[in-house]
Amino acid sequence: MDHPWIFDIEVPTEQLAAASKTITFDKVIQLGNGQSIKLEKMIVTPISTVLYYD
């Protein structure tokens, strides 16, 4: 492919906020190597998903 495809989508912020969902986890997951990850929350909108963790 010589040139990448580029998409420019305009969505009103009010529409995104109305369709946004926040999922609260507040859960610690133990990994096999002895470390752990704390899942805090995930924010889902029609165009993105963001996971907050420590």
Side-chain angles (χ1 to χ4, degrees):
M1 182 181 292
D2 294 332
H3 303 284
W5 292 6
I6 298 174
F7 297 93
D8 186 14
I9 302 170
E10 293 185 24
V11 179
T13 55
E14 301 85 25
Q15 185 179 359
L16 284 179
S20 174
K21 293 183 182 180
T22 300
I23 302 168
T24 303
F25 294 112
D26 197 28
K27 183 174 183 176
V28 176
I29 297 176
Q30 297 297 325
L31 303 177
N33 62 2
Q35 296 182 345
S36 63
I37 296 175
K38 181 181 179 187
L39 300 178
E40 295 179 8
K41 65 182 176 181
M42 183 166 58
I43 299 176
V44 181
T45 71
I47 61 171
S48 70
T49 299
V50 179
L51 176 64
Y52 292 87
Y53 66 93
D54 281 328

